[in-house]
Amino acid sequence: MFSRKDFIIKSTLAAGAGTIGLEALAATENKTTMKTKPPLIIATWKNLKATEAGWLSLQKGGSSLDAVEAGAMVPEADPADMSVGYGGLPDRDGKVTLDACIMDYKGNAGSVAFLENIMHPISVARKVMEKTPHVMLSGDGAFQFAIENGFKKENLLIDKAKEKWLEWKKESKYEPVINIELHDTIGVLAIDANNHIAGACTTSGLAYKVHGRVGDSPIIGAGMYVDDEVGGACATGVGELVMKTLGSFLIVELMRQGMTPQQACEEAIRRIVKKYDCSKSQATSPSTKKGDIGAYSIQTGFMYSLYAENENRIVEVEKHID
Ligand code: SD4
């Protein structure tokens, strides 16, 4: 069980663990430690309902793939979440366009990009993975595929999002300031009872983006990546930075070379910060390696949700790159 002290964990926390059974959080230099063990599900940001849905799926014998899909579907259908699916803020032309990807423990992957009018892009991504020889479908083609596979055409632009867009249009100033926007792209990673990992990521992307813009979230290796031998990672923040560094793949590869999830997150973000202007951006990546969890953030305010050992909690991540 987690203690109250563990509830708020600094960004410097590294959750270290082995590959089976009880996992102990291994501290790296001056890091907090905690213990957890699979099965588990983590999600970026405050997404306790998503981790709960994924956890319930795991409890019913669902696979990690079922769990991450169930988790991602929660904010997709929630109009209060204005960064994902239904209720998402539109692009500069007033269109809600969605990006999502999913990956299983065998390395199968599916994704959709620039998809409109479909409530659950994550489920379409899964269908792409399971029913086509392809990995990614985009735009009209992705929409056609969704309709052919039984998804309903729906208007995703809610009144509140439309009002915000109309307000934005008065100045039409495009400035992605992720944390201030309270963006909420969801990346989910789960490890099931068979110790297999899966990941999902879903978003409406940056608000007021150029029509046609696709971010990191549907790009396997950028917004999310899992490898059953190593672990997984997902990213949230300004997607352009994550795409240029293939952030999630990088983190998994760094873990493969022996870094803890925390060290790997820190190193990946260090590279972004070194190379690019990050003054208005954030790129954060919780990752898990058979029960180890790491998280790192350029800006303050990042947190992730974790359901493990029958407890659903928020883990706050403090800024620690200046
Ligand atoms: C994107 N990475 O489209 C997404 C945005 C995001 O929290 O993560 N927002 O670039």
Side-chain angles (χ1 to χ4, degrees):
M1 295 283 281
F2 297 95
S3 70
R4 167 74 198 144
K5 206 169 117 251
D6 296 325
F7 192 81
I8 308 266
I9 296 153
K10 310 287 186 228
S11 57
T12 47
L13 171 141
T19 51
I20 30 158
L22 272 168
E23 311 296 357
L25 286 163
T28 54
E29 333 90 68
N30 67 32
K31 313 294 192 216
T32 319
T33 61
M34 71 172 191
K35 290 175 192 283
T36 188
K37 62 175 183 176
L40 63 85
I41 177 158
I42 61 175
T44 51
W45 301 108
K46 193 175 176 185
N47 267 311
L48 290 174
K49 285 186 185 153
T51 43
E52 186 174 2
W55 179 259
L56 285 176
S57 167
L58 291 172
Q59 295 307 299
K60 285 186 200 143
S63 65
S64 49
L65 190 71
D66 297 329
V68 294
E69 182 186 10
M73 286 173 78
V74 172
E76 281 183 344
D78 181 359
D81 188 322
M82 302 191 84
S83 310
V84 183
Y86 179 57
L89 289 169
D91 63 17
R92 60 163 66 169
D93 294 355
K95 310 258 191 235
V96 180
T97 72
L98 307 174
D99 295 339
C101 75
I102 197 160
M103 192 168 194
D104 73 8
Y105 79 97
K106 291 180 181 159
N108 298 309
S111 95
V112 288
F114 191 43
L115 173 64
E116 289 179 57
N117 299 310
I118 299 290
M119 175 91 67
H120 289 298
I122 198 64
S123 302
V124 186
R126 183 169 177 175
K127 282 270 187 294
V128 173
M129 175 175 97
E130 291 174 344
K131 290 199 152 187
T132 80
H134 309 305
V135 170
M136 182 180 238
L137 295 181
S138 69
D140 286 348
F143 175 76
Q144 290 304 334
F145 173 81
I147 296 297
E148 281 160 26
N149 281 278
F151 292 85
K152 263 197 330 214
K153 179 176 179 180
E154 287 174 270
N155 174 28
L156 304 179
L157 185 64
I158 61 169
D159 289 347
K160 190 173 164 200
K162 192 171 174 183
E163 277 160 28
K164 280 179 176 273
W165 167 64
L166 290 172
E167 194 53 40
W168 171 84
K169 259 182 36 138
K170 288 182 188 159
E171 272 198 52
S172 296
K173 198 164 149 216
Y174 183 65
E175 257 193 357
V177 187
I178 285 293
N179 245 10
I180 292 164
E181 276 178 353
L182 279 179
H183 232 268
D184 211 5
T185 291
I186 182 169
V188 201
L189 301 169
I191 303 174
D192 59 26
N194 295 320
N195 231 4
H196 287 315
I197 192 166
C201 188
T202 183
T203 188
S204 53
L206 297 181
Y208 320 130
K209 60 196 174 185
V210 173
H211 186 61
R213 180 264 188 189
V214 169
D216 59 319
S217 306
I219 312 285
I220 298 295
M224 186 277 298
Y225 191 76
V226 299
D227 182 321
D228 212 45
E229 281 182 11
V230 183
C234 51
T236 168
V238 174
E240 281 71 8
L241 296 176
V242 183
M243 291 158 94
K244 285 187 273 199
T245 48
L246 274 187
S248 294
F249 180 74
L250 175 62
I251 289 168
V252 172
E253 286 310 298
L254 291 170
M255 292 195 297
R256 188 194 305 282
Q257 288 162 27
M259 284 192 189
T260 64
Q262 186 62 34
Q263 290 167 331
C265 287
E266 293 183 17
E267 175 56 22
I269 287 191
R270 219 171 267 134
R271 287 196 202 177
I272 291 176
V273 171
K274 205 170 147 199
K275 232 173 173 173
Y276 304 106
D277 171 16
C278 297
S279 53
K280 290 207 174 105
S281 59
Q282 179 195 33
T284 47
S285 309
S287 61
T288 168
K289 184 181 173 186
K290 306 293 182 193
D292 309 1
I293 299 164
Y296 204 53
S297 173
I298 295 174
Q299 312 280 5
T300 49
F302 181 55
M303 63 196 79
Y304 64 89
S305 308
L306 162 69
Y307 209 138
E309 296 186 286
N310 291 315
E311 264 195 80
N312 201 10
R313 69 197 47 245
I314 301 287
V315 180
E316 291 189 3
V317 179
E318 283 185 357
K319 169 187 176 177
H320 56 146
I321 287 188
D322 291 310

